[in-house]
Amino acid sequence: MPAAAKPKDITPVMFLPPPLAFGFAHLPMLGWLAAAAVPVVIHLLSRRRYREVSWAAMEYLLAAVRRHKRRMLFEQWLLLAVRTAIIILIVLAAAEPYRRRTALIFAPGENTQRVLVFDGSYSMAYRPAEQSRFDRAKELARQIVENSPQGDAFTLLLMSSPPRAIVAAPTVERAEMLREIESLALPQSVADLPAALTLLEKHLSQARRENPRLARQQVFFLTDLQRITWEPQLAGAALTAFRRRSAAVAERAALVVLDVGQPAAPNLAVAALRAFDLPALQDRQIHFETLLRNFGGQAKSNQPVELLVDGRKVEQKLIDVPPGPETAVDFTYRFIAPGDHAVEIHAPGDALEVDNRRWRIVPVRAALRVLCIDGRPSGGGIQGTADYVSLALAPQPSGVPAPVKVEAAPESALLERELSHYDCVFLCNVAQFTDHEARLLDAYLQAGGNLVILPGDQLKPDRYNRVLGAPQAGKASVEGRWSMVENPRRPTTNDQRPTNPERIRLLPARIDKLVPRDRYRLDPRGYRHPLLSAFRDHGEKALLTTPLFEYFKLDVPKDSSARVALAAAGGDPLIVEETIHRGRVVLLAIPIDEPGTPLPRWPSFLPLIQEILAFCVAGEAEQHNLRVGQPLVVRLPEATVGLDAELQTPDGRLIALTPETSSSAAAWRFTETWQSGIYELRFSDPARGRRLYAVNVNPAEGNLAAVSPDRLRNDVWPGVACTIQTTWQDLDRPGATPSWAAPTGLQVELLYGVLCLLFFETLLAWRFGHHPT
């Protein structure tokens, strides 16, 4: 996007164009005005055609003529003038004269700042004819600039999410402003009206302070008045602030809303694309479900819906899509090769192509790698937590290829292994952690790894809460920027409290002591959490009958983003999960190694552990699937520091990315994801392969219903003075100009004048030829 122009000095001009401008569509036709001389020439030539002869009888007539000479001369000149005017009007009508009204332009004599606010929502890409709504808005903006008096200044804002100032400082350079309008690209995002008004108020105030010669200010909203944009869902203080800011803007500037939408705009949108049976493994079938939404008033019959994988169409279905509720369409596909694969749904055939496609990236693996950290190795047989977990994750007999490769290792492996090579790390009955181990686990989550914490009889709750950072009320959310630096002057021992000075937080809940031993029942909370969805309708009995005698009490703050998947009948959380940094952390409250705990030997244990792993690893796919405007962030371990990367955007552009490096990882960040489609990240090291990312539009924007002018005045902007002009009537004519700026043709009036003069000439000729004797 071009950089905002710097403020320029604005000098007043002496001569300004009038509010009404005239012109001719066919100027060469005015050459025929010479034909107006034909009646005069004929009159002059006719006087020389005859030879005068004296005749006695004519003397009486000549005497009478001399008595009425003045009147006859007047009659002849009047007829000559009328006939000449007829010719002039016919020539002028053929030249098609016009006048241009500039009612929305302030009167000459004062300089004005005109702020052009473009609606940046992707509904502006709707194309009912040869022009899209956004093209139409750009054409209107050009006309505003071209028709404004000399000395007026212009500012250009884009109402997107977030809104942006394209030309921030007022500029009097029309050519520069026209270039900015021409190069303006439509982001495929939603529009944020409250934030746009905040930005607008800021620029109006700043322009008034820095440019006192701008006596007036005027704001043009070029929009389709889509309801989702112009009826923001606000309440309470937010609604009050919105209306107060709207009134403040209206006091500073005259508001003009130019509506480029249509009153009836049907649209079919691909609302969602879901993948099931994740994580995706090589040579395993994956089930996809896509949802179509018909926002029109009529059903669409035999609508083609295409499934594309890596750009190749693999299946097509014809379905009927009724208006109103979503229509589901199912597909299945088997991935043969591991790696990132792009899945696309395409439902072509309407005027808004942007939301007819939806993408999803599916990372496919040959096998999952899991590291089980055993806090108390059993030394043989199946006795410890890590043994039960390993058997539950890989129950296949020896020699049979398993989709999950499990490695059990002692606590020292946290320092010895490269954690980024594993999809998930299970911490099984680990008593405590050092600061250095906590820092390694934090970097692992930042790179997209996953943690599962299984307590046992060795767990020390106080140590966990201090080193791994239990959540605190009001500080439960983690954005991935917290880190921990050890104090080299203060070594950590078993008798000293770990420092954790910068608040690393790896726990989704605070761990308290064990509850008194008793018999407790499980509460699956309606199986709403995806971690327990496999038990719905199939394993309910096995899960509900699982015996439970004791558990660690977990404290989840009310403002936490953590979710409880399984609870005790009294409401105490038993399984809590939260997305921390770029990975998922699952914390169990049931001690697996505690003597007398029957859970590892119960039928529900094996599917529960497998579902926990599947839930954690499936979170990686969500990191590859983003919304328009959401930043694309890739983190890799410290071995990749110094690695170059190149990003290919959906429109084919190649952008070199510079990594943000730290002591433990490298990160590549790209924030200009304003276009939907597939983004491909390539590394300079071929061994790193490529990474694909899908960016999709917000499906809510597919509803093109507009707010009416009355509702805008009465409900959205009550008491706010604004002018609303509708221009959609002319959208079916390419290049058409709106009524407020359109040149008004005068040829019809001129032709009516010709008819009147012809009638008048006939009447005069009859009257003058029948005088009484």
Side-chain angles (χ1 to χ4, degrees):
M1 194 67 66
K6 296 181 179 179
K8 295 179 172 63
D9 294 332
I10 301 176
T11 57
V13 294
M14 296 298 296
F15 302 100
L16 298 176
L20 284 179
F22 294 89
F24 293 90
H26 303 288
L27 192 62
M29 293 296 296
L30 295 181
W32 288 97
L33 286 175
V38 172
V40 179
V41 173
I42 293 175
H43 174 72
L44 295 176
L45 291 178
S46 65
R47 297 179 60 185
R48 301 174 180 271
R49 180 173 300 178
Y50 304 103
R51 182 171 55 91
E52 294 184 3
V53 178
S54 299
W55 180 26
M58 291 297 298
E59 293 298 330
Y60 296 102
L61 295 176
L62 291 175
V65 168
R66 281 191 292 268
R67 288 196 303 269
H68 301 286
K69 182 178 181 179
R70 189 181 301 275
R71 178 178 56 79
M72 295 176 64
L73 186 62
F74 171 75
E75 291 174 350
Q76 290 176 3
W77 278 110
L78 181 58
L79 280 174
L80 180 63
V82 170
R83 290 163 182 168
T84 303
I86 290 173
I87 296 176
I88 292 175
L89 291 183
I90 292 175
V91 174
L92 290 177
E96 295 186 16
Y98 64 85
R99 65 176 179 267
R100 186 186 300 276
R101 294 174 293 173
T102 54
L104 295 183
I105 306 300
F106 285 118
E110 295 178 324
N111 295 131
T112 304
Q113 178 196 11
R114 307 191 194 283
V115 183
L116 305 178
V117 183
F118 275 81
D119 189 335
S121 59
Y122 75 78
S123 64
M124 293 286 286
Y126 189 80
R127 189 180 295 272
E130 294 184 8
Q131 280 187 320
S132 69
R133 293 176 174 179
F134 195 68
D135 294 334
R136 181 67 168 155
K138 292 170 73 171
E139 183 178 357
L140 298 181
R142 286 193 296 267
Q143 293 174 5
I144 292 172
V145 174
E146 292 169 352
N147 295 332
S148 295
Q150 294 293 330
D152 284 356
F154 304 95
T155 301
L156 181 59
L157 304 181
L158 183 64
M159 185 169 63
S160 56
S161 181
R164 290 174 283 166
I166 309 303
V167 179
T171 177
V172 295
E173 300 293 338
R174 296 180 180 228
E176 175 187 348
M177 190 65 181
L178 291 175
R179 284 194 299 269
E180 294 288 354
I181 293 173
E182 186 64 30
S183 62
L184 186 63
L186 175 64
Q188 297 173 358
S189 64
V190 297
D192 190 342
L193 178 61
L197 289 175
T198 302
L199 182 65
L200 176 60
E201 184 182 27
K202 169 187 172 184
H203 283 281
L204 289 175
S205 303
Q206 184 176 351
R208 184 63 61 88
R209 289 194 309 268
E210 298 177 356
N211 301 277
R213 293 177 179 175
L214 294 175
R216 295 179 179 272
Q217 292 177 310
Q218 189 176 29
V219 179
F220 289 90
F221 289 92
L222 300 116
T223 175
D224 57 1
L225 283 180
Q226 191 184 19
R227 185 174 298 163
I228 190 176
T229 298
W230 287 90
E231 289 187 348
Q233 301 301 309
L234 303 174
L239 179 60
T240 302
F242 169 74
R243 290 181 173 173
R244 185 186 303 116
R245 182 164 288 110
S246 301
V249 170
E251 289 179 1
R252 292 180 176 274
L255 303 185
V256 180
V257 178
L258 299 180
D259 179 16
V260 297
Q262 295 78 37
N267 181 45
L268 177 70
V270 181
L273 174 56
R274 302 169 182 166
F276 300 91
D277 309 314
L278 297 178
L281 298 176
Q282 183 179 2
D283 204 30
R284 177 178 293 183
Q285 219 170 35
I286 301 297
H287 170 221
F288 296 98
E289 180 188 65
T290 184
L291 300 178
L292 303 183
R293 182 78 182 271
N294 183 0
F295 291 102
Q298 297 181 350
K300 297 181 73 70
S301 301
N302 293 325
Q303 169 66 42
V305 182
E306 302 169 350
L307 172 67
L308 298 90
V309 177
D310 297 328
R312 181 175 58 90
K313 186 167 74 172
V314 297
E315 189 176 356
Q316 175 177 300
K317 294 184 177 181
L318 298 178
I319 63 168
D320 296 334
V321 187
E326 295 174 337
T327 302
V329 185
D330 295 325
F331 293 95
T332 57
Y333 186 77
R334 186 186 304 274
F335 293 95
I336 305 302
D340 290 350
H341 294 273
V343 178
E344 176 186 351
I345 294 294
H346 184 208
D350 65 6
L352 185 60
E353 178 64 23
V354 176
D355 60 2
N356 289 351
R357 299 176 183 270
R358 201 158 192 89
W359 293 267
R360 186 176 185 88
I361 301 303
V362 181
V364 179
R365 292 180 174 81
L368 300 177
R369 296 193 62 185
V370 176
L371 177 63
C372 284
I373 300 299
D374 194 348
R376 188 177 66 179
S378 59
I382 300 177
Q383 299 179 8
T385 303
D387 299 328
Y388 290 116
V389 170
S390 300
L391 182 60
L393 293 176
Q396 285 82 358
S398 178
V400 177
V404 180
K405 299 184 180 299
V406 183
E407 298 180 26
E411 296 180 45
S412 60
L414 286 176
L415 303 177
E416 300 168 353
R417 304 286 179 90
E418 178 57 63
L419 298 184
S420 63
H421 293 167
Y422 299 94
D423 298 297
C424 189
V425 174
F426 280 74
L427 303 175
C428 305
N429 196 16
V430 178
Q432 59 185 347
F433 298 90
T434 65
D435 287 349
H436 185 51
E437 290 171 338
R439 188 175 68 231
L440 291 176
L441 293 175
D442 184 73
Y444 175 62
L445 288 176
Q446 290 188 35
N450 304 282
L451 289 179
V452 179
I453 302 174
L454 297 160
D457 58 348
Q458 295 192 131
L459 184 141
K460 296 180 173 55
D462 291 341
R463 296 283 185 175
Y464 267 68
N465 295 330
R466 284 200 299 266
V467 179
L468 300 186
Q472 300 176 353
K475 298 182 180 180
S477 178
V478 172
E479 296 294 336
R481 294 186 175 89
W482 291 357
S483 61
M484 181 186 69
V485 179
E486 291 185 80
N487 187 347
R489 300 181 180 179
R490 185 181 178 187
T492 302
T493 65
N494 290 338
D495 298 327
Q496 293 175 319
R497 294 170 61 91
T499 56
N500 197 1
E502 298 184 24
R503 288 298 304 161
I504 274 184
R505 187 173 79 78
L506 306 180
L507 293 177
R510 172 175 290 275
I511 305 176
D512 290 333
K513 59 183 180 179
L514 281 168
V515 299
R517 188 173 179 83
D518 200 348
R519 187 173 184 87
Y520 303 95
R521 292 185 297 107
L522 301 182
D523 177 13
R525 302 169 67 88
Y527 302 92
R528 294 186 298 271
H529 197 281
L531 197 150
L532 299 182
S533 59
F535 291 93
R536 187 187 299 116
D537 301 328
H538 299 289
E540 293 186 18
K541 185 175 181 180
L543 182 64
L544 294 177
T545 57
T546 302
L548 176 65
F549 298 108
E550 57 186 356
Y551 57 87
F552 286 94
K553 195 170 182 62
L554 303 180
D555 182 18
V556 181
K558 292 182 179 180
D559 57 349
S560 173
S561 61
R563 296 188 298 171
V564 177
L566 182 66
D572 289 339
L574 297 179
I575 299 180
V576 181
E577 63 85 13
E578 185 179 8
T579 298
I580 297 181
H581 298 313
R582 296 173 57 82
R584 289 178 172 176
V585 179
V586 178
L587 173 62
L588 272 70
I590 305 173
I592 307 299
D593 267 5
E594 190 70 18
T597 300
L599 178 61
R601 295 176 291 275
W602 204 256
S604 59
F605 180 74
L606 185 146
L608 180 62
I609 295 297
Q610 292 181 349
E611 288 300 315
I612 290 175
L613 175 63
F615 170 77
C616 289
V617 179
E620 181 191 2
E622 300 307 318
Q623 301 171 17
H624 289 257
N625 297 280
L626 311 173
R627 284 277 182 92
V628 168
Q630 188 176 352
L632 190 158
V633 181
V634 181
R635 294 183 183 273
L636 293 178
E638 56 186 345
T640 60
V641 173
L643 194 64
D644 294 328
E646 187 177 55
L647 184 70
Q648 180 173 346
T649 61
D651 57 4
R653 291 180 296 127
L654 294 176
I655 301 174
L657 299 183
T658 302
E660 304 170 1
T661 60
S662 64
S663 59
S664 60
W668 290 264
R669 181 182 297 270
F670 181 73
T671 59
E672 300 296 320
T673 56
W674 301 114
Q675 185 179 9
S676 60
I678 300 298
Y679 291 75
E680 180 178 351
L681 185 65
R682 306 165 185 165
F683 297 98
S684 56
D685 181 8
R688 290 288 173 182
R690 63 167 191 165
R691 295 200 174 193
L692 300 181
Y693 296 86
V695 175
N696 289 295
V697 298
N698 186 342
E701 188 76 15
N703 186 355
L704 303 181
V707 59
S708 66
D710 290 339
R711 190 171 180 86
L712 177 61
R713 292 189 183 97
N714 300 330
D715 297 337
V716 180
W717 279 348
V720 175
C722 66
T723 301
I724 304 175
Q725 293 286 341
T726 301
T727 67
W728 54 262
Q729 294 96 331
D730 299 324
L731 275 176
D732 56 343
R733 295 194 293 112
T737 306
S739 58
W740 60 267
T744 303
L746 299 176
Q747 61 269 25
V748 176
E749 290 87 344
L750 291 176
L751 291 176
Y752 277 119
V754 170
L755 290 176
C756 293
L757 288 178
L758 286 173
F759 177 78
F760 186 53
E761 191 273 342
T762 303
L763 180 63
L764 290 178
W766 173 82
R767 178 69 179 84
F768 294 161
H770 292 78
H771 287 297
T773 304

